[in-house]
């Protein structure tokens, strides 16, 4: 990918986000469900309801509402949450770090697992163990993250209660954080006991998110490794007296990584999407969990803010993957 | 004089049991110290398989049915794997056919040369890169220090082949197997590459097994030659003798198919397999006579 391509991508970002906003905005208001009906006490008079409706601008036409919302959004004001009575931008910003930390941890676990399985799988190529590994990968691909979340919750939360199954941090653990990146902050400031407590809460949801993604990484990488190992340069390395593990790691892996990152990197979006249900299951206070509450309460401004946040994350992820591929492949770097 | 390489009665089959194709059927050849031996034969004769058998590069579905491959008197097929790996790349080296696919596309040229030097000679990173610079200069690459920093796609095919030649001679091998190293190159580059192989061979004192289907190349740089057909050796001897008085009709057909300045090339007429088979026993007898004569 050349620089021109990157610029083209950047130019396409605003129209993409605009499109996302339009679709979400219209869908929310066309689909049945009324935020006011969700919040009024029983027995409120029609006049009260109308006043509330007008207060949130819901009495106007959809187009009118959209223009108002967009005008404010462009100045960084994404409105007030109807159910939480707070600024949407601040709400999302406060919760986003929790989801980012969880997704990052899950991605790291998935990558480490996937790489190990792929290297093992390609090492035993042609033997019966390879079949077992391929079969295992297939199984893990077929079970979705929220199912893993339930399985892990029952297994390590209920059956063998080893780990906490709810929240981000113990309520009785009285620590103050300067940022909302609790894990990163505690690691950077050397508060390892706090980091450990955080990790204990994160590990189950992170593993649930990681398992299907690890299987995806393993499948993509194993195929790429097998293809790269058949190339002349890898074969010739054998004639230079290198052992097969050394060749797989030094010659084959850096090459196989390129298609794997290009194809698998964008799939991290699936993992991000998975946080919605998995955070819910573990009562983890991230934006995924928040999104479910927002939908239940028909909290239009909050839903719009959250979906826009996910859209920005997806776009950023795609760009990051492209840059990473350029970094890994010298043939693209000098293009 | 003991041979650097002595392949004896080598049988190799490729494919599933039952449907295996015998690609080498009792092939034997010797390469003496410092000798340049041409291994010729038409495409599919089994030349590459023979080279690959020596280098331990046979495809996964290949089975060695019998024979010995002695390198400096030790059987490569019988020795333990780590011992063989200690020889490969250090005492036995390869110049591959395709310079485009034979270098790792994501590693710098310098790193690719250095890794072998460090592996076999236990050089430091600095020393290995220093040695790599010398090697590149030896294969007539200008600005070797700059080229060390480049990736394979940033240099020409001819230059890549020179890098591969430099890598082959890096650890002063006793034997270099060159598998059609000029086939993928255009004529002027071919000539330069042949000169380089000859120069480095002399300087490093290596023997060369030069695999090619081009008798012109053999005539230029090989003192001795072996003619392979369908997995068997049909004829061998001093290049001058074989080319002047080919004893085998197949060699004559090969010669006739080679373009020469004084006459146009004829198409290589396929020799009927039955004829080859009937001549095989004859050639085999001659073969043995030759070996006996030299011993
Ligand atoms: N990977 C392979 N699988 C099956 N057969 C092969 C393979 N590679 C080569 N062969 C067969 O082995 C025979 C010898 O091939 P090769 O040694 O490459 O010939 P050449 O003399 O042209 O180098 C040919 O008949 C070829 O079809
Ligand atoms: Mg060949």
């Amino acid at each position: 990918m050349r620089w021109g391509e990157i610029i083209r991508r950047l130019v396409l970002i605003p129209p993409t986000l605009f499109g996302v906003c339009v679709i979400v905005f219209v869908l929310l208001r066309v689909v049945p469900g009324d935020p006011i009906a969700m919040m009024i006490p029983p027995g409120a008079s029609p006049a009260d309801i109308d006043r509330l409706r007008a207060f949130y601008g819901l009495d106007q036409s959809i187009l009118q509402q959209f223009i108002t919302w967009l005008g404010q959004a462009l100045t960084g004001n994404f409105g007030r949450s109807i159910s939480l009575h707070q600024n949407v931008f601040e709400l999302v910003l406060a919760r986003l770090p929790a989801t980012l930390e969880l997704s990052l941890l899950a991605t790291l676990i998935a990558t480490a697992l996937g790489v190990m399985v792929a290297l093992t799988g390609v090492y035993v190529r042609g033997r019966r163990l390879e079949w077992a590994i391929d079969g295992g990968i297939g199984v893990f691909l077929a079970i979705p993250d929220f199912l893993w979340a339930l399985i892990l919750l029952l297994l390590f939360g209920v059956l063998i209660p080893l780990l906490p199954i709810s929240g981000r941090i113990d309520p009785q653990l009285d620590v103050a954080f300067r940022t909302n990146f609790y894990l990163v902050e505690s690691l950077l400031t050397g508060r390892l006991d706090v980091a450990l407590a955080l990790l204990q809460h994160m590990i189950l949801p992170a593993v649930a998110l990681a398992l299907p993604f690890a299987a995806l990484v393993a499948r993509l990488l194993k195929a790429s490794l097998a293809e790269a190992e058949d190339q002349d340069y890898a074969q010739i390395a054998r004639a230079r007296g290198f052992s097969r593990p050394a060749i797989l790691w030094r010659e084959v892996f850096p090459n196989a990584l390129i298609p794997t990152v290009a194809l698998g990197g964008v799939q991290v979006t699936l993992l991000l999407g998975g946080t919605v249900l998995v955070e819910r299951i573990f009562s983890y206070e991230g934006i995924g969990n928040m999104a479910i509450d927002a939908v239940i309460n028909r909290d239009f401004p909050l839903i719009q803010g959250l979906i826009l946040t996910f859209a920005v994350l997806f776009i950023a992820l795609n760009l990051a993957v492209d840059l990473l591929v350029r970094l890994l492949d010298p043939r693209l770097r000098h293009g | 004089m003991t041979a650097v390489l002595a392949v004896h009665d080598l049988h190799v089959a490729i494919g599933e049991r039952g449907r295996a194709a015998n690609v080498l059927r009792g092939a034997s050849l010797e390469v003496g110290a410092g000798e340049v031996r041409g291994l010729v034969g038409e495409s599919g004769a089994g030349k590459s398989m023979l080279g690959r058998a020596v280098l331990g590069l046979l495809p996964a579905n290949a089975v060695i049915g019998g024979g010995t491959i002695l390198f400096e008197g030790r059987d490569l097929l019988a020795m333990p794997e780590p011992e063989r790996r200690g020889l490969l790349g250090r005492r036995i080296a390869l110049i591959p056919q395709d310079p485009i696919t034979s270098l790792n596309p994501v590693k710098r040229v310098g790193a690719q040369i250095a890794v072998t030097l460090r592996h076999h000679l236990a050089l430091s990173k600095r020393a290995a890169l220093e040695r790599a610079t010398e090697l590149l200069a030896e294969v007539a690459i200008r600005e070797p220090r700059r080229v060390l920093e480049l990736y394979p796609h940033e240099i020409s095919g001819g230059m890549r082949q020179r890098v591969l030649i430099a890598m082959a001679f890096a650890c002063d091998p006793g034997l270099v197997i060159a598998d059609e190293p000029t086939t993928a190159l255009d004529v002027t580059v071919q000539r330069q590459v042949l000169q380089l192989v000859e120069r480095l061979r002399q300087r490093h004192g290596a023997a060369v097994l030069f695999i090619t289907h081009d008798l012109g190349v053999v005539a230029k740089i090989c003192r001795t030659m072996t003619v392979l057909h369908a997995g068997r050796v049909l004829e061998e001897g001093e290049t001058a003798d074989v080319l002047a008085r080919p004893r085998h009709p197949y060699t004559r057909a090969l010669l006739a198919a080679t373009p020469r300045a004084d006459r146009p090339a004829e198409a290589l007429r396929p020799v009927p397999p039955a004829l080859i088979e009937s001549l095989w026993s004859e050639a085999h007898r001659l073969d043995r006579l030759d070996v006996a004569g030299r011993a």
Side-chain angles (χ1 to χ4, degrees), chain B residues 14-15 23 41-50 59 61 179-180 211:
Chain B
I14 297 188
V23 295
E42 67 190 315
S43 176
K47 307 183 295 292
S48 294
M49 284 303 144
L50 197 143
N61 58 350
D179 190 352
E180 315 235 14
I211 299 175

Side-chain angles (χ1 to χ4, degrees), chain A residues 45 58 79 92 106 136 142 169 195 219 223 238 254 278:
Chain A
S45 73
L58 296 170
V92 172
I169 192 157
R219 172 171 283 185
R238 280 163 59 199
V278 172

Side-chain angles (χ1 to χ4, degrees), chain A residues 71-132:
Chain A
Q72 289 177 339
L74 286 175
T75 67
N77 175 6
F78 293 86
R80 279 179 77 79
S81 156
I82 297 176
S83 57
L84 300 172
H85 313 292
Q86 282 181 56
N87 183 300
V88 166
F89 191 71
E90 283 166 14
L91 277 172
V92 172
L93 219 55
R95 287 282 197 106
L96 183 59
T99 298
L100 289 181
E101 283 190 339
L102 180 64
S103 309
L104 189 69
L105 183 65
T107 306
L108 290 179
I109 294 173
T111 308
L113 266 178
V115 167
M116 280 193 296
V117 171
L119 281 170
T120 313
V122 86
Y123 186 72
V124 298
R125 195 142 65 116
R127 287 192 242 155
R128 213 163 294 161
L129 186 54
E130 186 193 12
W131 289 43

